Amino acid sequence: MNPAVTSPDPGTTRPPAAPPARAERSSRGARLAARAEALATPRAALAVVAVAALGAVAVFIGRATFPNYDSYYTLIWGQELASGRLPDYDVFRTPTPHPLATLFAALLSPLGGAADRTLVFLALGFHLALLALLFRFAQMLLGTLVAVVAVAVLLTRVDLELFTLRAMVDVPFLALVFGAAVLELSRPRRGGSVLALLGLAGLLRPEAWVLAGLYVLWLTPAVGVRGFVRYGLMAAAAPIGWALADLVVTGDPLYSLTSTREVAGQFGRQRSPLEALLLLPDFLGGNEKIVNVVAGGLGGVLALVLLRRRAALPLALALVGMAVFLAIAAVGLSVIPRYLLIPSLIFNLCVAAALVGWTLARDRRVRGAAIALAVLALALVAFRTPSYARDLAKLNAQAVFVREQHLQLEEILERPEVVALLGSCGRITLPTHSTIPVVRFHTGLGKDAFEASINQTAPPTRGVLVISDFFNFEPDAARSTSGVSQRSARKWWSNYPLAGFERVAENDRWAVYARCG
């Protein structure tokens, strides 16, 4: 029996014996759960890790992808830092700088042009670590069977998998947060090691600051005033470090907040707290709203019944995550699904509880309700199976799009006739801002060598034009590159071979035109 699930109090009146069929269902569920526990051996874990690692390598080779816009700027800032210069955040549509990511990128700078693909490879490793930590988190709460099903549910999260394939900071951030959660579950009020992981997470995303602060309050009754001060300083290290980094680089300790808020306004991503509240069900569902919200929500209720007080940690993570999301809306930052990933993943774990939580129920009424919930959840999964297939096909198409965009852009930039023009024929005009950090990374040219057509007031009369078959550089970028609509962002000369410019090179996706002198 899973120790997380308690039997009825021995002091209560013994209920009547269950009918044979009901008793059989109960023993069948217990046997199924026990069999899963018996299979959870170190040898089995090692085999699963080996297969997962081989799978990650196969994905890295077979579906070669590249970092996204934010991550390419992080690589550039890491190069600047490694060369002894301060990162230059003063760029058009600057992404939010993340201090730990920039330091990490500085360590990758000796790899030169291979740093981008290396970052993707490391992101795949963080994704495996996240899956392993979520498995352990679920296993410690609800047993091995629920944990195995939870991983299967998590593998349907193609939005999270795309974040990994684009080497976004969200995945290592989540791994650090759930790593801290696993440590806390293994020994409540553990203290320093939990705060250390949350501190690292807090240098990637500010949500961890709130988690660290609340954790210090949780520790206080056990550690007293001196412990509160000591752990409070640990919790404050990440926000102070972030503010100091902003102060040193820009002279403004609140630069990340103000800059991110400004860009959120440009992209039209700001929402009122009420609007953000209404978006919760949609964003919590990730790429599969119905199963994750309906089955996950009901599975969460079952998990509360089964776990009782032990549900405090996952419940706190979910509630704090949603509260921070609403606070993000209140201060005018981007209201996007990425900022609900922690509670969204908790809902994924609860889908697993909905599917197989009945195996843990001992009370016959709870077990009956849990079996009914499992039937409903299974029906929802079956109903949404075509959607899962479409999601996987879409992920594959996005990965192929990214690969072709990048590989063919690199290919044309490396042609001798193009190399001879870069930096010597005037400014390089690109369709949107999304392409600029990629070309900067591969050419080594500074920010002043480039301009996005969406930031121009008139078409260029000289220089280099780099145009593409696609206006948006990112896959499925239906969102606008300004705050209103794609049409308003795009200028008539975006991606257009202007008169007087001669074609220098062309491949299946890109073309380069030039007018020097």
Side-chain angles (χ1 to χ4, degrees), residues 54-78:
L54 288 174
V57 172
V59 169
F60 179 74
I61 296 172
R63 278 292 174 263
T65 59
F66 296 82
N68 76 332
Y69 176 78
D70 296 40
S71 298
Y72 264 110
Y73 264 119
T74 299
L75 289 170
I76 291 170
W77 293 334

Side-chain angles (χ1 to χ4, degrees), residues 393-412:
K394 180 179 178 180
L395 176 65
N396 180 64
Q398 289 172 323
V400 170
F401 181 89
V402 169
R403 181 189 66 196
E404 293 305 311
Q405 284 285 85
H406 282 260
L407 291 179
Q408 297 209 34
L409 179 60
E410 288 181 41
E411 187 274 331
I412 204 167

Side-chain angles (χ1 to χ4, degrees), residues 196-214:
L197 291 183
L198 291 177
L200 291 174
L203 292 173
L204 292 174
R205 291 249 299 259
E207 297 100 296
W209 304 349
V210 179
L211 292 172
L214 292 174

Side-chain angles (χ1 to χ4, degrees), residues 267-433:
F267 278 98
R269 295 176 182 168
Q270 293 170 323
R271 300 288 185 273
S272 70
L274 178 58
E275 290 173 316
L277 183 64
L278 296 175
L279 286 170
L280 279 176
D282 185 42
F283 286 3
L284 283 171
N287 58 281
E288 174 44 60
K289 322 295 181 189
I290 296 177
V291 173
N292 292 337
V293 173
V294 177
L298 294 174
V301 174
L302 175 61
L304 288 174
V305 173
L306 294 174
L307 293 173
R308 302 179 187 178
R309 292 182 61 184
R310 282 176 56 81
L313 181 55
L315 182 62
L317 286 173
L319 293 177
V320 171
M322 287 185 272
V324 170
F325 178 76
L326 297 177
I328 285 172
V331 299
L333 300 178
S334 293
V335 176
I336 53 178
R338 288 172 55 199
Y339 298 146
L340 267 179
L341 277 173
I342 293 175
S344 180
L345 292 178
I346 296 294
F347 269 68
N348 287 149
L349 302 184
C350 291
V351 171
L355 287 166
V356 293
W358 63 272
T359 62
L360 305 175
R362 298 295 172 260
D363 180 271
R364 62 183 174 85
R365 287 173 299 179
V366 173
R367 186 170 59 254
I371 291 173
L373 174 57
V375 172
L376 172 63
L378 193 59
L380 286 175
V381 170
F383 172 67
R384 299 297 293 174
T385 296
S387 296
Y388 289 126
R390 285 193 295 270
D391 287 342
L392 288 172
K394 180 179 178 180
L395 176 65
N396 180 64
Q398 289 172 323
V400 170
F401 181 89
V402 169
R403 181 189 66 196
E404 293 305 311
Q405 284 285 85
H406 282 260
L407 291 179
Q408 297 209 34
L409 179 60
E410 288 181 41
E411 187 274 331
I412 204 167
L413 290 175
E414 291 172 355
R415 293 190 186 182
E417 61 271 29
V418 175
V419 172
L421 294 173
L422 299 179
S424 63
C425 187
R427 278 197 167 186
I428 303 165
T429 297
L430 297 158
T432 75
H433 61 290

